């Protein structure tokens, strides 16, 4: 809780409503990871005042809310919150590698927000430690979401392909001593 309040103050977004929501969240879920075991509908019911603490936990404390949750939530606030988080360096490595491969800024940002950030959050591993099995698990979650909602989301599948290309490049560079990414 203290780390979250410090972060809010440092970013100029501290307010009583966010603090109250965070205190309630931690009172209800002293072990926040237990929240992730709740049914998806319950996790999605988190209100706008609680979502910032959930985002903070995802970026700073290895909180893994499940791919089902990550696919249902737009993560636009992640880009505002990632600065200074443990995931910042990891996503920067992804962006550098994708730029080196010639991906446009638009594609880098779209891909980064759709797949790698979700993989980093859910696996708790670094970008270079992600594997094909992680991409396969994410793709399975996308297909499950399509089955559940009846809505196809082809942008996720395209972003998985782009992510696979970048991850392959990172692994190849690690093996072949490419310039530091």
């Amino acid at each position: 809780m203290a780390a979250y309040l410090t972060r809010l103050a440092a970013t100029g977004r501290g307010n009583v409503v966010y603090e109250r929501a965070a205190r309630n969240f931690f009172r209800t879920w002293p072990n926040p990871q237990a929240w992730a075991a709740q049914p998806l509908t319950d996790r999605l019911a988190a209100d706008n005042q609680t979502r910032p603490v959930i985002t903070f936990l995802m970026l700073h404390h290895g909180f893994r809310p499940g791919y089902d949750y990550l696919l249902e939530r737009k993560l636009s606030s992640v880009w505002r919150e990632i600065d200074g988080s443990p995931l910042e360096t990891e996503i920067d490595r992804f962006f550098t590698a994708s730029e080196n491969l010639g991906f446009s800024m638009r594609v880098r940002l779209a891909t980064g927000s759709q797949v790698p950030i979700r993989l980093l959050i859910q696996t708790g591993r670094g970008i270079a430690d992600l594997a094909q099995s992680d991409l396969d698990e994410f793709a399975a979650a996308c297909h499950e979401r399509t089955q559940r909602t009846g809505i196809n989301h082809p942008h996720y599948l395209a972003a998985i392909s782009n992510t696979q290309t970048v991850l392959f490049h990172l692994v190849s560079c690690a093996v072949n001593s490419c310039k530091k990414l």
Side-chain angles (χ1 to χ4, degrees):
M1 181 69 187
Y4 175 65
L5 294 177
T6 300
R7 178 69 179 178
L8 285 178
T11 58
R13 290 185 350 277
N15 67 53
V16 174
V17 176
Y18 284 175
E19 181 179 339
R20 191 177 310 131
R23 288 190 191 286
N24 186 47
F25 181 87
F26 287 122
R27 192 173 20 262
T28 305
W29 306 105
N31 172 8
Q33 193 57 49
W35 176 85
Q38 298 303 302
L40 178 61
T41 53
D42 292 351
R43 286 176 282 147
L44 292 175
D47 59 28
N48 289 337
Q49 293 78 26
T50 305
R51 285 189 206 148
V53 73
I54 292 169
T55 299
F56 173 81
L57 290 168
M58 289 188 307
L59 293 175
H60 293 271
H61 293 285
F63 182 63
R64 297 178 183 107
Y67 284 130
D68 57 349
Y69 178 85
L70 290 168
L71 286 166
E72 291 300 324
R73 287 284 175 234
K74 291 187 180 199
L75 299 181
S76 54
S77 67
V78 165
W79 300 122
R80 182 178 60 244
E81 300 298 326
I82 199 164
D83 290 342
S85 79
L87 299 185
E88 179 182 23
T89 302
E90 298 303 318
I91 206 68
D92 285 348
R93 287 187 70 206
F94 178 85
F95 285 146
T96 299
S98 59
E99 180 179 22
N100 290 344
L101 289 168
F103 287 100
S104 70
M105 176 61 85
R106 183 174 185 274
V107 171
R108 291 193 308 264
L109 289 173
T111 299
S113 69
Q114 292 168 0
V115 178
I117 194 68
R118 287 172 167 85
L119 291 173
L120 292 170
I121 289 168
Q122 189 59 31
T123 66
R125 294 195 308 274
I127 198 77
D129 298 322
L130 296 175
Q132 182 63 47
S133 59
D134 298 313
L135 293 167
D136 294 342
E137 185 178 346
F138 186 80
C142 291
H143 292 301
E144 186 279 325
R145 180 183 186 214
T146 297
Q147 291 292 322
R148 184 172 33 83
T149 65
I151 301 168
N152 193 8
H153 297 86
H155 60 285
Y156 280 117
L157 300 179
I160 290 170
S161 178
N162 291 342
T163 301
Q164 182 178 32
T165 299
V166 174
L167 294 179
F168 178 80
H169 178 70
L170 285 168
V171 169
S172 294
C173 281
V175 170
N176 298 317
S177 302
C178 296
K179 70 178 187 173
K180 180 100 172 129
L181 297 175

